[in-house]
Amino acid sequence: MEITKFAVPEIIFGRGSLNYAGLCARRLGAKKVFLVSDAGIEEAGWLQRLMNILEKEGIEWVYYPGVTANPRDFQVEQGAELYRKNGTDVIIAIGGGSPIDTAKGIAILASNGGRIRDYEGANKVQRALPPMICITTTAGNGSDISQFCIITDVERRVKMSIITRTLIPNISIVDPLILRTKSKTLIIESAVDALAHAIEAYLSRIASPFTEMHSLKAIELIVGNLKDAVDTRSLDALEQLSTASVSASMAFSNASLGAEHALAHSLGGHFDVSHGVLHPILLTAVMRFNRKYAVQKMADIGRIVLGEQLGSDLDTAQAGIERLDQFFAGLEVSQRLREVVEEEEWRYMEAICKMAVRDACNLTNPGPATWRDFLKICEEVW
Ligand SMILES: [Fe+2]
């Protein structure tokens, strides 16, 4: 086995773990924290809950509310300005991927300066970041665990992948009770994102035994529990999705992703489409493209989603991909690109595919994907 590394934050997991946020902040030396969240979390009451918890520990805060879905470069830069002006010491993000990625971007600029686009790609961040606590309110995006941060460059209309070990927060708090206030759509979008993370990390060229076991467990838990979680809102099923999300995140943070995420970033950045909407459209098509490079690993995935091995690895791999298509169909989500993108927008597709080739996630795809390959995939799922 080649030399490998596996980095994860301290993870506080379980029902009611949000209550430990104040103690965690104090442990990191917080006197005045910089809070990042969004309107949905405010409305659901979780932000106020967190403020009360901090207050109990005698910790002050400054709140930055300027976060939207698909966070933008200027929002990160405004946040960093506010961080610097207020003499805050610890950053706490509560929310899904958008507030957490914004907070990570703010942390980069707070200690490294410059524009956020200066850090696009892998390992461009030189100086240590302020201490960070991430409290995820979804089971899927994994930003609370990962060394990834995805920010949209408004001018170029592209999602930048910023990847560096210092983006792993000090502490990640995962409280499955929060999932109970989430809509069916959000639970599905988050879970299929985690499923894409698990599968792409498993197939990644830099996967290791440490990431592979987490990938496979995550696939099993998501396929086995998502339907039940959205139909019944059973806390047990929601908790399994949280476990799956943590596992998938530990896997992809260390093994990175692949061509599907590269394309999803380019499409999402250009059309401002929610990240989780794109996976049921793209994932199986990219798996079909990758099948020739990774038959055995595809068969491992097939065995998990089918619950059995068929005659050959190729048969198992193929049937597994088809079963995933059925799984997405059962969730009643879009499986065609034209359902989420206007017909006349097709003219941008070549440029989008050329952008996807340059995304850092494409580097770890099991086989090289050219812009023509991406375009073929887009035609197939149109
Ligand atoms: Fe993702």
Side-chain angles (χ1 to χ4, degrees), residues 347-369:
R347 65 184 191 277
Y348 297 113
M349 218 49 93
E350 190 178 311
I352 289 167
C353 290
K354 284 179 176 166
M355 204 93 87
V357 175
R358 293 199 294 272
D359 188 286
C361 295
N362 197 35
L363 293 171
T364 44
N365 197 58

Side-chain angles (χ1 to χ4, degrees), residues 283-297:
L283 185 60
T284 50
V286 176
M287 287 175 80
R288 283 189 188 94
F289 167 76
N290 277 329
R291 195 178 42 202
K292 59 183 175 293
Y293 300 114
V295 174
Q296 248 181 0
K297 280 198 155 185

